[in-house]
Amino acid sequence: MSIDSFGLHIGPIYLRFYGIIIVTGAILGGFLAANETKRSGRDPAIIWDLLTWLLLGGIIGARLYHVITPPPSMMPVGTPNPYFQNPAAILQIWRGGLGIPGGIAGGAITLYIYTRTHKLNFAAWADLIMPAVLLGQAVGRWGNYVNMELYGLPTDLPWGIYIPPHYRIEQYTNFSIYHPLFLYESLLNLCGCILLLYISRKSYKKLQPGDITISYFIIYPVIRFFLEYLRVDSSKFGTVNANQSLMAITASISILSIIIRIFLKIRQSKSKI
């Protein structure tokens, strides 16, 4: 067995750290979701049956999102999408390139199909899974560090990370130390996971099915929206930051949904008096 910067050589098998980290995050998320499922009085075995499908659906969705919205470093203005020029590269996931918005969409579609097929409540199971999703994201972001991607603007802060010249964005080649954006998002995702767990346990008698899921779609988009200001290679729709715009829209709709839910619940309570 031998080790290099990107993975492990075990005989003829090569295991990339990027993939190992993604799978590790999924497994840790699975344990958390199974624990929350057991605590709610449901069968945790369903989580382990569901996990493989969620991971598969999430990866497919995440890859497709990245393929459709590659960063400017891969597709400068006026140049064609490199994946359309070389479709075989779409399958090279080990090189990085997974968009979380697409991963969430792919996972949501997978969960919907699974719950419909097994006659389960989609909103209730989504609530059990969402804290685990944030935990998986927190761990998975370290895969970006291994691939030397998802770093921020140049910085002189003591916790800045060194990026080798080969991995630097063209307009920042004269800088060597950058914000560890992957670390910021990892820590904030972990805090978001803890917050969702706190809400689900502290206020479980007051929560409606779907409340925790909607809370996720407030917490993560807010995190991502502000971190995009530090990102050096954000995907674009024309001149618009694709991820930041999507996060702003998602958070706004989710906040509005929570407000409407609270209003309807208050109205319903008053009607019973």
Side-chain angles (χ1 to χ4, degrees):
M1 183 178 73
S2 62
I3 302 175
D4 61 30
S5 300
F6 296 100
L8 301 171
H9 294 269
I10 305 176
I13 300 173
Y14 185 51
L15 300 177
R16 288 186 173 264
F17 292 134
Y18 184 82
I20 293 172
I21 291 170
I22 296 295
V23 172
T24 299
I27 293 173
L28 291 175
F31 277 110
L32 177 59
N35 181 69
E36 291 303 290
T37 300
K38 184 178 181 180
R39 193 178 62 83
S40 72
R42 296 177 174 87
D43 183 6
I46 293 175
I47 291 295
W48 298 112
D49 183 42
L50 179 58
L51 181 62
T52 302
W53 296 108
L54 285 178
L55 186 58
L56 180 62
I59 289 177
I60 291 173
R63 187 59 174 176
L64 289 176
Y65 183 84
H66 170 76
V67 168
I68 295 170
T69 61
S73 61
M74 293 185 65
M75 192 176 69
V77 177
T79 62
N81 188 310
Y83 292 108
F84 298 161
Q85 300 295 108
N86 179 24
I90 295 174
L91 301 177
Q92 298 173 356
I93 297 177
W94 57 87
R95 295 181 180 273
L98 296 176
I100 285 180
I104 297 302
I109 293 170
T110 302
L111 179 62
Y112 180 78
I113 294 172
Y114 185 94
T115 52
R116 288 279 292 181
T117 302
H118 293 80
K119 295 180 172 57
L120 301 171
N121 185 299
F122 171 77
W125 281 89
D127 285 347
L128 293 171
I129 290 170
M130 296 320 290
V133 170
L134 276 173
L135 176 60
Q137 289 176 216
V139 175
R141 274 308 184 195
W142 286 85
N144 296 126
Y145 175 66
V146 170
N147 278 3
M148 288 292 156
E149 56 189 7
L150 195 64
Y151 53 87
L153 292 167
T155 182
D156 56 2
L157 292 170
W159 57 80
I161 56 170
Y162 172 76
I163 299 296
H166 180 67
Y167 298 99
R168 296 173 194 169
I169 305 301
E170 184 177 355
Q171 58 266 44
Y172 296 105
T173 52
N174 292 330
F175 298 90
S176 58
I177 305 299
Y178 298 80
H179 280 283
L181 202 58
F182 78 93
L183 175 61
Y184 298 163
E185 186 169 329
S186 177
L187 293 176
L188 289 170
N189 284 342
L190 184 59
C191 291
C193 170
I194 294 170
L195 178 58
L196 286 184
L197 290 174
Y198 176 80
I199 294 171
S200 65
R201 297 184 183 192
K202 188 73 173 179
S203 307
Y204 70 95
K205 292 182 179 179
K206 301 177 182 178
L207 295 174
Q208 304 174 70
D211 281 350
I212 293 298
T213 301
I214 295 174
S215 297
Y216 168 90
F217 284 107
I218 296 172
I219 292 171
Y220 179 69
V222 168
I223 291 172
R224 186 65 179 270
F225 178 86
F226 286 104
L227 288 181
E228 284 292 321
Y229 283 112
L230 288 176
R231 195 164 182 171
V232 297
D233 199 23
S234 297
S235 298
K236 306 285 186 181
F237 282 133
T239 59
V240 177
N241 185 313
N243 291 322
Q244 195 172 47
S245 300
L246 179 60
M247 295 301 108
I249 294 169
T250 301
S252 298
I253 293 174
S254 300
I255 291 171
L256 181 61
S257 298
I258 287 288
I259 292 172
I260 292 173
R261 279 178 163 237
I262 293 173
F263 174 77
L264 292 176
K265 190 173 183 179
I266 292 173
R267 187 176 180 181
Q268 186 179 24
S269 298
K270 288 182 177 180
S271 66
K272 293 180 180 179
I273 298 175

